[in-house]
Amino acid sequence: MGVNSNRVEHVACQETSLAISAEVAVMPPMQIHKVCLPPKQTTLQKLKHRLTEIFFPDDPLYRCKNQTWFKKLILCLQFFFPIFQWGSEYNVSLLRSDVISGLTIASLAIPQGISYAKLANLPPIVGLYSSFVPPLIYSLLGSSRHLAVGPVSIASLVMGSMLSEAVSPTEDPILYLRLAFTATFFAGLFQASLGLLRLGFVIDFLSKATLVGFMAGAAVIVSLQQLKGLLGIVHFTSKMQIIPVVSSVLSNKDEWSWQTIVMGFGFLFFLLTARHISNRNPKLFWVTAAAPLTSVILSTLLVFLLKSKVHGITIIGHLPKGLNPPSLNMLYFSGPYLGVAIKTGIVTGILSLTEGIAVGRTFAALKNYQVDGNKEMMAIGIMNIAGTCSSCYVTTGSFSRSAVSYNAGAQTAVSNIVMASAVLVTLLFLMPLFYYTPNVILAAIIITAVIGLIDYQAAYKLWKVDKLDFVACFCSFFGVLFISVPLGLAIAVAVSVFKILLHVTRPNTLILGNIRGTQIYQNLSRYREASRIPSFLILAVEAPIYFANSTYLQERILRWVREEEEWIKENNANTLKCVILDMTAVTAIDTSGIDTVCEIRKMLEKRSLQLVLANPVGTVMEKLHQSKVLDSFGIYGLYLSVGEAVAHISSLWRAQP
């Protein structure tokens, strides 16, 4: 049996049927396929191939192959600026849909922008600034047609909670604002760097289970924090844990305002009803889209008309008119709080990136087009860096606004331009109209927006499908509620990483049996029709063999052998002679793994047992060959499949006198 070919030779041979009894009829001669080495490559070629698979799995420049230099230039422009790709095909029909969609999003984005800025402990006007510049940048660089860009609740909450632990937004608002802009700069820098270096897999450590628990916990905390506005409480805790928040609500009963409570819960009921109507009938998407702005208009009118009679309801007050003022001079690059700004930027950057890409891919799948994750990282990162220079804080794709955009018929990123234009008109001419807008309506809008983040059905599914994923979700949820938002997220990520390490260090191993009349070998405990082959123990390893799991695999395989010998003794079966290790699922092996295979072979040899390897994949086969390990296995120690190994070794035993 050779290993010198660079291709698997599929030689025609007669099918072999195996009998389980010891008395087996003499089989006709059969040919055994060669186990071949992969095509020979230099170290440089291997490194190039590996780096390409890591950083460029999607082959982003495939369209440039066999093209002229001018065509390549056009394609590169379209790659980095997707607007050039769809802009040439843009027409009046698409514009009509995008204008309707953009104006619909604006009706939701304006009140949400003001509300989320308050959630981040920032001036309300910053929320509107953040709904103007970033959408314009994204429309040039983003690859999603339906992603509606602006402030989001989770990033606002995390930024507010992390920065307020270091600096009070009420005692030192200027420093707090500087830190917010600086955190946004580092968030954008981190996001753009991930996209430029094509390191998007970093955000994959935030698993769905982690995000389900984190968002649910954050939604509960945000909702409880809004009781300050709903109840009219003036002195409220700045902490973000559930116990201090509930304690602050109950200990300040004397500050509760019945006017605020009536207005707040009345409009909250209106907003939740509108949300319920749209959820029940997606064609009525405009109901939930228009509800926040309608609530702002009605509540503002009520407060204005009753201002002489209603004194317990606090209002937003003066908001400056005009375009975004430059803020580059406000960035905080030296001082004792720089570390807090960097940490806040990285955490909010990861969260907003995860949300934005997930939302973009969700709606891209519905319309059967592809969103490039690395381009999205660069687009979101660059728009946040640009936003830093124009008085904006962290922005990304919002699920609620994107859902409205999709249902309103958005066709391209022009809907973001239309939305930004509507915000521009508001900034230039309509700001005085928000003077009497009550803070309680902002609280009601925030609660309505975040309540949809509590996905109990997803949590139940996690419990049914994967208990360890549910533990990650559980830890994330309660970590956010009782410890803090960033630490809750860190705990959940740690649980997810532990799960990965558990799978790597304790891989699955199983014993295989033959399904009668076939060459198929499957798990004995899973398939009742699978039977043991006399004198053989067939094991499968379903993971790479690394230094991290090699000792465990050695101990586990020897335990399988011991248990098989005990089973043979109890059932008076044929003596065990051969152990076959099916390496089909062993995708990689390192030097520790190779040493482990050698050690297992030696230990089995001392017990008069033969170890046979079946179907090692290309890279594994190459390393086994280069290490000279295969020489110790002899000519009958390596086969292309378990079936061929069983058939050939059985025929050798029968041929012995």
Side-chain angles (χ1 to χ4, degrees):
M1 196 172 48
V3 295
N4 57 348
S5 173
N6 63 357
R7 164 183 297 272
V8 176
E9 297 180 3
H10 297 283
V11 182
C13 63
Q14 185 175 349
E15 283 202 16
T16 308
S17 31
L18 299 173
I20 305 303
S21 60
E23 298 178 0
V24 183
V26 177
M27 300 295 295
M30 66 176 298
Q31 291 179 309
I32 303 300
H33 295 95
K34 293 181 179 180
V35 181
C36 305
L37 291 168
K40 191 171 183 180
Q41 292 181 313
T42 64
T43 302
L44 188 61
Q45 288 174 325
K46 292 178 185 176
L47 179 63
K48 179 183 176 182
H49 175 74
R50 187 60 181 160
L51 292 176
T52 300
E53 289 301 311
I54 292 174
F55 297 108
F56 303 98
D58 54 342
D59 190 13
L61 300 179
Y62 75 96
R63 297 173 62 200
C64 295
K65 294 177 181 177
N66 303 320
Q67 301 289 345
T68 63
W69 282 106
F70 179 75
K71 184 64 175 178
K72 286 181 180 179
L73 177 62
I74 298 298
L75 291 174
C76 286
L77 279 175
Q78 292 178 348
F79 178 79
F80 290 107
F81 300 96
I83 191 171
F84 289 113
Q85 187 170 352
W86 52 261
S88 59
E89 302 173 358
Y90 203 72
N91 54 47
V92 176
S93 176
L94 295 176
L95 178 62
R96 187 185 303 113
S97 299
D98 285 335
V99 168
I100 295 172
S101 174
L103 293 176
T104 307
I105 305 167
S107 68
L108 182 63
I110 292 170
Q112 278 193 351
I114 296 172
S115 303
Y116 291 156
K118 295 280 285 184
L119 183 60
N121 300 317
L122 294 169
I125 191 65
V126 174
L128 288 181
Y129 291 156
S130 303
S131 300
F132 171 51
V133 172
L136 294 176
I137 303 296
Y138 182 82
S139 63
L140 297 175
L141 303 175
S143 58
S144 173
R145 303 173 197 165
H146 300 94
L147 197 69
V149 172
V152 293
S153 57
I154 295 299
S156 301
L157 167 70
V158 172
M159 176 172 284
S161 63
M162 293 184 71
L163 292 182
S164 60
E165 290 178 359
V167 177
S168 171
T170 54
E171 295 176 3
D172 199 343
I174 300 300
L175 177 58
Y176 185 90
L177 188 60
R178 292 183 64 192
L179 292 179
F181 290 153
T182 308
T184 302
F185 173 80
F186 283 110
L189 186 64
F190 178 71
Q191 293 165 335
S193 299
L194 287 182
L196 184 64
L197 300 175
R198 304 187 72 81
L199 296 174
F201 56 84
V202 170
I203 66 173
D204 291 337
F205 283 98
L206 284 178
S207 64
K208 182 179 179 180
T210 299
L211 289 174
V212 167
F214 174 78
M215 288 187 174
V220 173
I221 287 295
V222 169
S223 299
L224 290 175
Q225 274 279 342
Q226 300 317 303
L227 291 176
K228 172 187 178 182
L230 281 179
L231 301 176
I233 300 174
V234 178
H235 301 92
F236 200 76
T237 180
S238 60
K239 295 182 179 179
M240 301 298 292
Q241 297 83 22
I242 187 170
I243 294 177
V245 171
V246 174
S247 175
S248 183
V249 170
L250 297 178
S251 62
N252 291 293
K253 287 182 180 180
D254 56 319
E255 295 184 4
W256 291 13
S257 168
W258 69 267
Q259 298 101 324
T260 304
I261 293 172
V262 171
M263 177 176 284
F265 282 93
F267 278 103
L268 180 61
F269 176 77
F270 168 72
L271 291 166
L272 292 176
T273 302
R275 177 187 177 87
H276 178 71
I277 291 171
S278 295
N279 288 340
R280 292 289 298 271
N281 188 355
K283 291 182 179 179
L284 298 176
F285 66 90
W286 54 269
V287 174
T288 190
L293 188 58
T294 303
S295 300
V296 168
I297 294 172
L298 292 177
S299 61
T300 303
L301 285 173
L302 280 173
V303 173
F304 176 74
L305 295 173
L306 302 175
K307 59 184 177 182
S308 60
K309 299 179 181 179
V310 179
H311 302 287
I313 299 178
T314 59
I315 59 175
I316 291 178
H318 174 71
L319 293 177
K321 288 198 302 182
L323 293 175
N324 301 31
S327 57
L328 188 60
N329 61 323
M330 294 187 69
L331 296 184
Y332 185 95
F333 287 135
S334 62
Y337 300 109
L338 180 60
V340 175
I342 294 174
K343 183 172 69 172
T344 304
I346 291 175
V347 174
T348 55
I350 291 175
L351 286 173
S352 57
L353 203 57
T354 303
E355 182 176 357
I357 293 177
V359 172
R361 285 175 174 168
T362 297
F363 291 104
L366 294 175
K367 284 293 186 178
N368 196 29
Y369 69 93
Q370 195 169 10
V371 168
D372 188 323
N374 288 294
K375 279 201 288 187
E376 287 296 285
M377 291 178 196
M378 290 185 65
I380 294 173
I382 291 172
M383 79 178 185
N384 277 319
I385 293 174
T388 300
C389 304
S390 53
S391 301
C392 303
Y393 77 109
V394 174
T395 53
T396 187
S398 163
F399 186 84
S400 60
R401 289 192 291 275
S402 299
V404 169
S405 173
Y406 175 82
N407 289 322
Q411 299 296 320
T412 67
V414 170
S415 58
N416 273 307
I417 298 176
V418 175
M419 179 193 71
S421 302
V423 174
L424 173 62
V425 171
T426 304
L427 287 169
L428 292 177
F429 306 109
L430 305 180
M431 297 316 299
L433 299 179
F434 291 97
Y435 184 89
Y436 287 101
T437 300
N439 286 315
V440 64
I441 201 64
L442 303 182
I445 290 172
I446 290 173
I447 292 175
T448 307
V450 302
I451 202 168
L453 299 177
I454 304 175
D455 193 349
Y456 62 90
Q457 291 180 335
Y460 178 73
K461 185 178 179 181
L462 290 173
W463 169 257
K464 295 288 289 184
V465 175
D466 192 324
K467 300 296 189 292
L468 203 54
D469 268 352
F470 180 79
V471 170
C473 175
F474 183 88
C475 291
S476 180
F477 178 74
F478 285 100
V480 170
L481 284 185
F482 292 98
I483 304 176
S484 71
V485 173
L487 283 179
L489 183 63
I491 291 171
V493 171
V495 172
S496 297
V497 172
F498 173 75
K499 179 184 175 182
I500 295 172
L501 293 175
L502 193 63
H503 285 308
V504 170
T505 59
R506 295 296 182 267
N508 191 32
T509 59
L510 45 94
I511 183 169
L512 305 181
N514 177 251
I515 297 178
R516 287 178 180 271
T518 72
Q519 289 284 352
I520 299 173
Y521 289 80
Q522 285 292 346
N523 190 349
L524 274 177
S525 62
R526 182 179 170 192
Y527 291 88
R528 293 182 179 179
E529 60 269 33
S531 305
R532 281 179 164 85
I533 305 297
S535 302
F536 286 94
L537 172 62
I538 305 168
L539 301 175
V541 178
E542 296 183 331
I545 303 178
Y546 287 133
F547 66 93
N549 61 21
S550 56
T551 302
Y552 166 78
L553 285 174
Q554 179 176 326
E555 294 171 351
R556 190 66 187 90
I557 289 172
L558 293 176
R559 177 183 160 192
W560 277 119
V561 173
R562 186 182 72 249
E563 290 174 349
E564 183 70 8
E565 289 176 338
E566 291 173 356
W567 182 90
I568 290 172
K569 188 175 181 180
E570 292 174 1
N571 293 273
N572 295 320
N574 289 3
T575 305
L576 181 63
K577 297 180 181 179
C578 179
V579 177
I580 299 177
L581 190 61
D582 184 4
M583 302 184 73
T584 303
V586 180
T587 55
I589 193 169
D590 65 359
T591 52
S592 298
I594 293 172
D595 292 341
T596 296
V597 172
C598 289
E599 286 298 315
I600 294 172
R601 186 196 63 78
K602 292 176 183 177
M603 291 179 178
L604 294 180
E605 195 174 61
K606 290 179 181 178
R607 301 167 72 163
S608 301
L609 297 175
Q610 179 185 3
L611 177 63
V612 172
L613 306 181
N615 194 30
V617 299
T619 55
V620 175
M621 179 65 192
E622 185 177 28
K623 289 184 179 180
L624 291 173
H625 176 71
Q626 290 174 343
S627 65
K628 307 297 182 183
V629 168
L630 297 177
D631 296 343
S632 62
F633 278 79
I635 60 173
Y636 302 126
L638 186 66
Y639 292 86
L640 185 60
S641 70
V642 173
E644 289 187 1
V646 171
H648 189 245
I649 294 173
S650 297
S651 65
L652 292 176
W653 289 345
R654 288 194 301 271
Q656 292 177 356

